[in-house]
Amino acid sequence: MPLREIDKSLIDRCLAHEPGAWNDFVDRYMGLIYHVIHHVAHARSLMLNSADVEDLAAEVFLAVVDDDYKVLRRFKGESSLPTYLTVIARRVCIREVVKRYREAELGHSRAHRVSIDDVDELEAEPILPLEEVERILESLTGREAEVFRLYHLRYLSYREIAKQLDIAENSVGPVLSQARRKFKAAAVERSGA
């Protein structure tokens, strides 16, 4: 589908920083962005509240305006603008969801929402400052610490970790599991000290 004139005009106006252009862009594509967010959540069986949806929408729009509309400047018009924005929104949503999930695994945020009735059943897990995380990582072997850092702190995939460390991709999971067990044990030991 070719680029429609209204979309071409909107891109040109945004890139020229015309007053009101960004508001027009948001008004035109807000529904599409919300649709993509809900689709990504549904496809991954995630429950998002309205604040989560708003946060993800803000991240998508931030990605569009970042670096002086770099996303719009890179658009070549080989597809429709809505198709292009759908791909961008989907990538941003998945990146943010993965990032939040990994932060939750480290105790930086709640992994799942609970009702007030469930509060008594929760086991409190301390949130560790980055300096403490680094101290605990020193207790891991070199390979375990590297894999842990790349996965949890740099958000790389198993494939990216394997490539960077020049190891087999199927060995990343076992090393990461061992590192997590040691990390958790060390964190519990330190919090009890």
Side-chain angles (χ1 to χ4, degrees):
M1 181 176 191
L3 179 62
R4 295 175 58 191
E5 187 56 41
I6 188 170
D7 292 328
K8 182 180 181 334
S9 172
L10 194 52
I11 292 170
D12 292 342
R13 289 177 54 217
C14 285
L15 295 178
H17 300 283
E18 287 184 16
W22 178 244
N23 290 339
D24 292 344
F25 185 92
V26 170
D27 289 345
R28 181 163 174 80
Y29 292 108
M30 179 69 80
L32 173 69
I33 301 306
Y34 278 105
H35 175 76
V36 172
I37 292 167
H38 289 294
H39 181 75
V40 167
H42 178 73
R44 285 164 177 70
S45 301
L46 300 173
M47 298 288 288
L48 299 178
N49 63 28
S50 59
D52 293 330
V53 173
E54 292 290 327
D55 287 347
L56 289 171
E59 288 296 329
V60 171
F61 283 118
L62 183 60
V64 173
V65 299
D66 194 33
D67 198 14
D68 193 30
Y69 296 99
K70 180 179 179 180
V71 165
L72 294 181
R73 283 189 279 113
R74 291 175 57 193
F75 178 60
K76 294 182 173 94
E78 295 171 359
S79 67
S80 70
L81 184 57
T83 300
Y84 180 72
L85 291 175
T86 297
V87 172
I88 298 296
R90 183 177 174 279
R91 287 180 181 166
V92 170
C93 288
I94 291 170
R95 183 189 69 223
E96 287 300 312
V97 166
V98 168
K99 178 181 169 188
R100 290 174 187 200
Y101 174 77
R102 290 183 180 164
E103 287 173 349
E105 284 181 333
L106 288 173
H108 295 295
S109 64
R110 297 293 298 262
H112 63 280
R113 306 210 188 294
V114 294
S115 69
I116 297 296
D117 298 334
D118 295 332
V119 170
D120 292 337
E121 298 172 18
L122 291 177
E123 181 179 324
E125 192 169 312
I127 296 174
L128 302 173
L130 187 58
E131 297 82 25
E132 188 68 15
V133 169
E134 288 296 334
R135 278 201 259 343
I136 293 172
L137 285 176
E138 289 172 5
S139 68
L140 302 178
T141 67
R143 175 63 44 92
E144 292 168 344
E146 283 179 293
V147 170
F148 191 95
R149 277 188 186 94
L150 292 173
Y151 185 80
H152 287 291
L153 303 177
R154 295 209 27 232
Y155 309 115
L156 298 184
S157 68
Y158 281 20
R159 177 171 289 148
E160 293 167 323
I161 293 169
K163 186 175 181 180
Q164 184 163 335
L165 298 180
D166 196 27
I167 60 176
E169 186 177 341
N170 62 357
S171 68
V172 174
V175 172
L176 184 59
S177 293
Q178 180 68 19
R180 284 177 177 153
R181 280 193 295 276
K182 288 182 179 180
F183 183 91
K184 189 168 187 173
V188 167
E189 183 179 311
R190 285 183 177 269
S191 66

